[in-house]
Amino acid sequence: MATDRIVNVSRRQFLKVGLAAGTGLTLGVYLPTLRSAGAAAGPGKAGGAMFKAGTFEPNAFVSIGADNSVTVIAKHLEMGQGTYTGLATLVAEELDAAWSQITVKPAPADANRYNNLLWGSTQGTGGSTAIANSFVQMRKAGAAAREMLVGAAAEQWGVSTSDVTVRDGIVRHQATERSVTFGELAERAGRQPVPVEPFLKDPSEFRLIGSHVPRKDSRDKTHGTAIFTQDIQLPGMLTALVAHPPRFGATVKSLDASATKRVKGVTDVVQIPTGVAVLAKDFWSAKRGRDVLRVDWDESKAFTLGTDEILTEYRALSKNPGAVARKEGDTDQAMARAARVIEADYVFPYLAHAALEPMNCVIKVSGDGCEVWNGEQFQTPDQMAVANVLGLKPEHVKINMLYAGGSFGRRANPQSDYVVEAANIVKAIQGKAPVKLVWTREDDMRAGYYRPMYFHRMKAGLDDAGDIIAWQHRIVGQSIIAGTAFEASLAQDGIDQTSVEGAANVPYAVPNITVDLHSPKLPVPVQWWRSVGSTHTAFAVETFIDELAVAARRDPVVLRRTLLKNHPRHRGVVGLAAEKSRWGETLPPNRGRGIAVHESFNSYVAQVADVSVDKDGSYSVDRVVVAVDCGIAVNPDIIRAQMEGGLGFGLSAALSSQITLNAGRVVQSNFHDYTVLRMSEMPDVEVHIVQSTESPTGVGEPATPVIAPAVANALAAATGKRFYELPLLVTG
Amino acid sequence: MIQLNINDQLYELDVEKDMPLLWAIRDVLGFTGTKYGCGIAQCGACTVHMDGVPTRSCVTPVGVTQNKKITTIEGLNSKTSRAVQAAWERLDVVQCGYCQSGQIMAATALLEAQPDPSDEQINAAMSGNICRCATYVRIRAGIREASRALV
Ligand code: FES
Ligand code: FES
C-alpha cells in the first residue's frame, strides 16, 4: 500500500513541476525543488512558507536546508507517545542523516498528502498506528532524499553514484577523499529527478532503528518552552469559558447575563448549541464572569438515570442472548455436559480521559478561511466539521497541530465536539476576535465522552479432567461508534467491533465458544479511551481464565501456554514475562503475584504484577515485569517508556478512577474525587522486548489493558478472593 | 496596581488582588511554561517557587505574593535545577510534557532542601504532582541521577 502511494506521488510531482514552470504557481512542500522565499501559500496550501530560500524539499516529509538542517514533517500528533521521534528515526535511518541535524515540524491538515495509510483518505492519529502506517512511507521519504543527494554529489564530482557513500550527514567519495555536507548539496540535489522507487536498507543495515536515540521533544518539554494549545496567545484574542448543562440532553431555557457583563474584562456572552459562552480578555475574568452567570436549564428531555439504575438495566439485558460476535461449536450442549460450570459477572464504570491539559482550542476567522490551533488528533473530521459550522470549504480550514498535553483518545472525537464548540463561539461573535476556548478541569471531567460503562457475564464449563470445554462471554454496554461516521467501517453485522475486541478474538483454544453483545443506547456521550474495547475485555477474559486455572488446579502460566498453542506470539510474551519475573518462586505471606496477557493493535503484552496486601485491605503494587512483542523495535527506549506509562495509565483505573452518575448528574469533578495514579503508587517496572523481524506495530495503547487483570490476579493469589469490579477494592 | 517579582524582574500589573498568580503569570505576563491542570491545588502543573518554596500558583492570589521572589520554569538557573533538567533530558523523562514544568519545579525544590532524598522523601515531595502519562518511574530515576550529580 505504502509503496504504491509513494510511486504515485512522485509521478504527480513531475507533472506539477512542469505546470508550475508554465504558470508561476507555487505548490507547497510537494515540489521536489528549491523553495523561494516569497512562496507563502494561503489556507489549504499550508506549508507554503515553512522553509527558507535554498531549501531542498524532495517530498512532503523531508526538507534539507542550505544551513545543513534536516526537517522531518510529522503527519501524526505528538501527545507523549514519542511519535515525532519515531517518525524522524525512520527518515534519518534511510537518509543516513546525523540525528543531531534533524528537527521535526508538524504537518498541516491535508489528507491528500498526510493521510493515515491505515485509515484510507483520513488524516489523523490513533489506534497505535503512527509507526505501523509510516514504517515504509517515511523510510522511502528519507531514501528518496538520500538518492538525490548522492546524485548531486556524483554530478558535482564527476564520479559514479555507486562510489558515493553517506554516513551521519556527510556525503563522501572515498577514492578522492572528498566530502560534502547535506546543506552544501541541497541546491544541486533539488534539481535531481525524484527517484520513483528509492532503495531501502536491509534491516541488518539499520543504525538508528533499534538503537537508542534521544527524544526530539525532551529539551523543550524540560525547559517550559514546548507550546501547547493552552499557550497560544494571538493579538486581540478572547478567552471563552462555556457553561454546559448540568445533565446530558438539557438545553438553555432562559439566561440572565447582567451580572456577568458587569465583571471587569468580560466582553461577550453568547448562546451556542452546547450552552452559554462567556468571553473575556483572559481566563480569570471569563471564569469570574461564568461564576455569576444565571442559566435556567430546560431539563425535560435530559437523562436522569444514575449508575445503579443503569447497572440494573444492563444486568437485566444480560439475561438474554445478544448479537453474536463469535460462535464456534455448540456452547449450550457442551455446558450441559460439563462436570463443573463456573460463572462470573463483571462491572466496569465510566472513565474520563482526564488528560492533564484539559480540552481547549484556538480559532481565528480571516478572509475566506479560518485557522485553528489545537493538539490536533483528527485533522480530516475536524476540518470538515469546522468548515460545516462556518460555511467554508474544508481546505480553507487551516489547522496548526500543536503538542497535546495528553489525549488518550479524547482529542480524536468523532463529533469533533470541543473543536466545533470553539467554531460556534467564534461564529456567534461574527469572527470579530480570535477565540481561545478553555475547558476547566471540571468542564473536562463532566462533559462526557467517557469510556463506556460495561457489564460482562462469563460462563465456562470444565470436564472431569478440568479442561475447559465451553466458553460463553456476554457483553453489555454502549457502542462507541453508533451514530458516528465510523459506524460503517467499524461495525460488522450489527456488532461494534470496538465493544468486543479482545473478547471475540479470545486466543485460548476452547472447542465451544460463544461471544455476544448488547449495545443499549443511552445519551451519555462515550468515546474510545486508550486501548478502547480491551480496557474491559482484557480484564474479564484474563481474570476469568485465571479463576478457571485455580478451579482446575492448574498453574495460570502453564494453562495459558497450553491453551495458546495456536498463538505463538502470545505464548512468547507469557513465557518471557514468567521467566523474567521468576514465576513460581515462593513469596512471603500477604504477597501475591499475578499474570495477564493480551493482544491489542497487533502488539502482544504480558505483565506479571507483584502486590502486598495489608490486613486492613490496603494494598500496593510493588513491581511489574512486562514482556512486549511489537515487531521490529524502532525506538526501544520509547517502547519501554510506553510500557511504563501505558500500564501506569491503566493502573489509575485499576486502583481508583471512576465516573459515576447520580440522577443523571456526573458526580466527580476534579482530581480530588476522580483520583488518579500518583508517584507513591507507581510500581517498579521492568520491560523486556521480544526480538522480532515482523513489521512494527503500535505501543501507545497495548500496555494499558493488561495491568488491571494482572493486579487482580495477584490480589486473588494473595487473598484467595476473586475480583469482579474495577476499581479493585479489597475488603476485609 | 500589583507589584510582582518574577524571575528577578519587577512587574507592575493592573489586576485584581484575588487573581491567582497562575493567570497573572500566563495571561498577563505571557510566561506559558507554568501550566493549568486543575485549579484547586490537586495536580501540581502550576508549581512555581515562592521564596524557594514550591507553591501552587493556581490557588495563590497575586495579592499575597508581593515582596516575594517568584521563580517560574523560565527563571530556573541554579546548580540544582541544571542538574535536574540535565537528568530529565538524558533519561528522556517526558512524554506529553504538560506536567513536566511542575515536576521539575517540585524536584528542584526537593533537592535544594534535601540533596540525597530517600524513596519516602521523594514520594512525599512528588506525590502532589500528577503525571497522567505516568512518567513516574523516570521522574524518580531523574531525581536519583540529579542527586548523584549534586552530592
Ligand atoms: S493547576 Fe494548580 S495544582 Fe493543578
Ligand atoms: S508527561 Fe504527560 S502528564 Fe506528565
Side-chain angles (χ1 to χ4, degrees):
Chain A
M1 179 197 305
T3 307
D4 287 343
R5 187 169 162 71
I6 281 271
V7 171
N8 291 338
V9 163
S10 303
R11 285 193 185 126
R12 261 191 288 141
Q13 284 171 345
F14 285 115
L15 291 176
K16 284 187 179 178
V17 174
L19 182 70
T23 62
L25 274 179
T26 303
L27 291 158
V29 293
Y30 240 162
L31 289 178
T33 184
L34 290 172
R35 168 152 303 289
S36 62
K45 294 182 224 153
M50 282 172 84
F51 302 106
K52 287 201 291 287
T55 297
F56 156 47
E57 298 162 10
N59 53 53
F61 297 104
V62 57
S63 79
I64 297 173
D67 61 357
N68 204 31
S69 64
V70 174
T71 305
V72 172
I73 314 301
K75 65 176 184 174
H76 290 296
L77 172 67
E78 177 57 80
M79 48 187 157
Q81 84 283 38
T83 198
Y84 276 19
T85 306
L87 295 174
T89 303
L90 301 176
V91 172
E93 176 69 65
E94 296 289 348
L95 181 56
D96 281 312
W99 185 244
S100 57
Q101 76 187 130
I102 299 222
T103 54
V104 183
K105 277 194 178 165
D110 179 355
N112 287 325
R113 292 181 285 170
Y114 298 115
N115 59 321
N116 184 325
L117 299 182
L118 296 173
W119 292 0
S121 57
T122 298
Q123 183 180 352
T125 307
S128 294
T129 58
I131 293 299
N133 94 95
S134 305
F135 186 59
V136 172
Q137 184 182 42
M138 294 300 279
R139 284 169 61 210
K140 287 205 167 183
R146 183 188 191 278
E147 276 182 32
M148 292 165 82
L149 289 164
V150 167
E155 193 182 277
Q156 183 172 321
W157 295 328
V159 301
S160 159
T161 52
S162 59
D163 292 332
V164 176
T165 57
V166 189
R167 184 79 168 258
D168 288 337
I170 305 289
V171 184
R172 276 180 221 283
H173 185 248
Q174 206 72 39
T176 55
E177 292 186 2
R178 278 177 291 189
S179 69
V180 63
T181 65
F182 287 3
E184 288 161 338
L185 279 175
E187 181 165 358
R188 195 184 280 267
R191 293 195 293 269
Q192 295 288 313
V194 180
V196 170
E197 195 56 66
F199 186 76
L200 293 182
K201 289 182 181 175
D202 183 81
S204 63
E205 300 168 292
F206 288 160
R207 299 171 54 78
L208 293 175
I209 291 174
S211 52
H212 176 77
V213 297
R215 282 184 75 114
K216 282 294 172 192
D217 51 353
S218 261
R219 190 176 165 80
D220 280 349
K221 290 177 175 179
T222 301
H223 292 263
T225 47
I227 297 297
F228 298 82
T229 309
Q230 185 98 69
D231 305 330
I232 295 293
Q233 292 286 1
L234 302 174
M237 186 184 81
L238 298 173
T239 296
L241 265 68
V242 176
H244 290 136
R247 289 183 163 110
F248 300 113
T251 52
V252 176
K253 190 192 284 172
S254 66
L255 170 67
D256 175 1
S258 50
T260 302
K261 287 185 173 156
R262 281 196 297 273
V263 172
K264 196 171 152 200
V266 170
T267 59
D268 302 84
V269 179
V270 290
Q271 203 173 322
I272 54 169
T274 46
V276 181
V278 175
L279 292 94
K281 64 179 181 26
D282 57 58
F283 173 92
W284 187 243
S285 306
K287 169 87 167 54
R288 289 184 59 210
R290 190 181 68 170
D291 286 347
V292 295
L293 188 68
R294 297 173 60 133
V295 188
D296 200 6
W297 301 96
D298 175 359
E299 302 193 57
S300 58
K301 295 194 186 70
F303 181 68
T304 55
L305 293 187
T307 297
D308 294 346
E309 291 98 327
I310 296 171
L311 184 56
T312 305
E313 288 196 5
Y314 284 10
R315 273 186 199 283
L317 266 178
S318 76
K319 305 271 191 279
N320 303 313
V324 176
R326 177 167 172 190
K327 192 165 174 54
E328 274 168 30
D330 187 334
T331 312
D332 289 344
Q333 194 264 339
M335 211 68 87
R337 71 183 153 84
R340 273 178 82 183
V341 170
I342 296 173
E343 290 181 82
D345 292 347
Y346 295 87
V347 181
F348 304 92
Y350 287 110
L351 290 172
H353 301 75
L356 199 60
E357 180 185 22
M359 294 306 103
N360 46 23
C361 182
V362 175
I363 185 163
K364 176 181 154 193
V365 177
S366 51
D368 60 349
C370 81
E371 197 166 346
V372 172
W373 289 260
N374 184 25
E376 182 61 53
Q377 196 175 349
F378 238 17
Q379 281 85 349
T380 306
D382 288 351
Q383 216 176 12
M384 294 194 319
V386 169
N388 192 32
V389 170
L390 297 175
L392 299 170
K393 292 204 176 99
E395 60 269 28
H396 289 168
V397 177
K398 180 181 174 188
I399 300 183
N400 302 288
M401 178 171 73
L402 304 171
Y403 287 130
S407 167
F408 316 117
R410 183 64 182 84
R411 284 183 180 269
N413 183 284
Q415 278 86 12
S416 301
D417 68 326
Y418 69 90
V419 178
V420 163
E421 183 167 86
N424 273 311
I425 296 168
V426 84
K427 182 181 173 188
I429 61 163
Q430 282 94 40
K432 71 172 182 183
V435 169
K436 170 154 62 173
L437 167 67
V438 178
W439 282 7
T440 63
R441 173 59 53 199
E442 290 80 4
D443 300 333
D444 190 90
M445 201 152 283
R446 292 189 157 163
Y449 293 107
Y450 303 126
R451 194 288 302 274
M453 184 176 159
Y454 283 97
F455 179 78
H456 288 226
R457 166 154 291 184
M458 307 211 50
K459 192 172 170 184
L462 308 184
D463 67 11
D464 287 326
D467 289 331
I468 307 169
I469 57 169
W471 176 279
Q472 189 186 306
H473 191 165
R474 182 161 297 153
I475 299 173
V476 185
Q478 286 170 264
S479 164
I480 290 169
I481 59 161
T484 74
F486 294 86
E487 193 159 2
S489 57
L490 291 173
Q492 281 154 29
D493 302 327
I495 303 273
D496 176 348
Q497 295 303 314
T498 73
S499 299
V500 297
E501 60 188 356
N505 54 340
V506 56
Y508 298 119
V510 176
N512 303 287
I513 296 185
T514 307
V515 179
D516 61 9
L517 172 71
H518 291 280
S519 300
K521 288 196 161 51
L522 269 66
V524 181
V526 292
Q527 199 183 328
W528 27 64
W529 188 98
R530 198 174 189 173
S531 82
V532 199
S534 296
T535 57
H536 50 107
T537 59
F539 186 82
V541 168
E542 283 299 301
T543 57
F544 195 55
I545 195 81
D546 218 75
E547 181 169 351
L548 300 183
V550 173
R553 298 182 190 287
R554 309 268 174 92
D555 176 84
V557 167
V558 174
L559 178 71
R560 279 180 177 83
R561 283 178 56 83
T562 308
L563 295 179
L564 289 170
K565 59 187 175 197
N566 300 322
H567 293 273
R569 296 179 78 182
H570 284 84
R571 255 177 83 98
V573 290
V574 169
L576 184 58
E579 177 204 324
K580 297 294 183 186
S581 65
R582 301 181 305 276
W583 182 266
E585 73 183 345
T586 310
L587 299 175
N590 303 320
R591 299 274 291 279
R593 183 167 287 170
I595 188 166
V597 60
H598 190 75
E599 172 271 321
S600 53
F601 308 100
N602 302 312
S603 291
Y604 304 78
V605 175
Q607 292 171 12
V608 173
D610 287 9
V611 300
S612 319
V613 186
D614 261 350
K615 281 187 200 55
D616 65 359
S618 64
Y619 63 92
S620 61
V621 183
D622 306 322
R623 181 192 71 159
V624 181
V625 176
V626 184
V628 53
D629 177 353
C630 55
I632 293 170
V634 175
N635 297 109
D637 193 54
I638 289 181
I639 294 169
R640 275 191 286 277
Q642 286 308 298
M643 293 299 111
E644 295 159 6
L647 77 85
F649 191 77
L651 204 46
S652 282
L655 300 183
S656 66
S657 305
Q658 58 178 329
I659 290 286
T660 55
L661 301 178
N662 183 0
R665 287 196 173 84
V666 178
V667 173
Q668 293 74 19
S669 64
N670 207 318
F671 289 122
H672 64 291
D673 52 8
Y674 187 82
T675 46
V676 298
L677 191 77
R678 291 177 183 271
M679 170 67 95
S680 54
E681 298 159 318
M682 185 75 194
D684 292 335
V685 179
E686 211 181 289
V687 179
H688 302 277
I689 303 171
V690 173
Q691 288 284 334
S692 171
T693 52
E694 302 279 340
S695 294
T697 46
V699 293
E701 299 171 89
T704 299
V706 192
I707 187 65
V711 170
N713 292 337
L715 288 172
T719 64
K721 294 181 189 140
R722 304 299 319 185
F723 296 84
Y724 303 104
E725 265 184 55
L726 290 181
L728 298 164
L729 301 176
V730 181
T731 44
Chain B
M1 280 290 169
I2 302 278
Q3 214 182 54
L4 287 182
N5 176 346
I6 299 193
N7 302 332
D8 288 326
Q9 178 83 41
L10 282 180
Y11 297 91
E12 297 244 297
L13 276 65
D14 179 18
V15 299
E16 309 281 328
K17 275 194 175 53
D18 66 347
M19 178 186 255
L21 176 61
L22 172 65
W23 299 109
I25 292 171
R26 289 184 55 85
D27 284 1
V28 184
L29 296 175
F31 293 115
T32 55
T34 308
K35 303 301 188 203
Y36 165 77
C38 70
I40 58 164
Q42 281 287 322
C43 78
C46 65
T47 306
V48 298
H49 293 174
M50 206 154 81
D51 290 340
V53 179
T55 302
R56 306 292 184 238
S57 65
C58 69
V59 292
T60 307
V62 280
V64 308
T65 67
Q66 310 208 56
N67 309 320
K68 311 247 186 205
K69 247 173 84 78
I70 294 153
T71 308
T72 68
I73 184 87
E74 291 89 351
L76 273 188
N77 190 20
S78 65
K79 188 168 164 237
T80 309
S81 70
R82 284 194 296 273
V84 168
Q85 286 170 314
W88 247 242
E89 283 190 62
R90 219 146 59 83
L91 298 176
D92 273 345
V93 170
V94 306
Q95 291 191 23
C96 85
Y98 196 79
C99 72
Q100 298 293 347
S101 296
Q103 305 282 3
I104 287 164
M105 298 308 286
T108 300
L110 164 67
L111 290 174
E112 257 153 22
Q114 177 51 263
D116 188 15
S118 65
D119 269 355
E120 288 66 38
Q121 285 170 321
I122 292 177
N123 283 344
M126 302 303 294
S127 283
N129 287 72
I130 290 172
C131 176
R132 284 293 282 152
C133 301
T135 62
Y136 300 119
V137 169
R138 292 179 189 219
I139 292 174
R140 186 184 299 278
I143 292 171
R144 288 254 160 276
E145 176 151 333
S147 163
R148 274 193 300 276
L150 289 168
V151 293

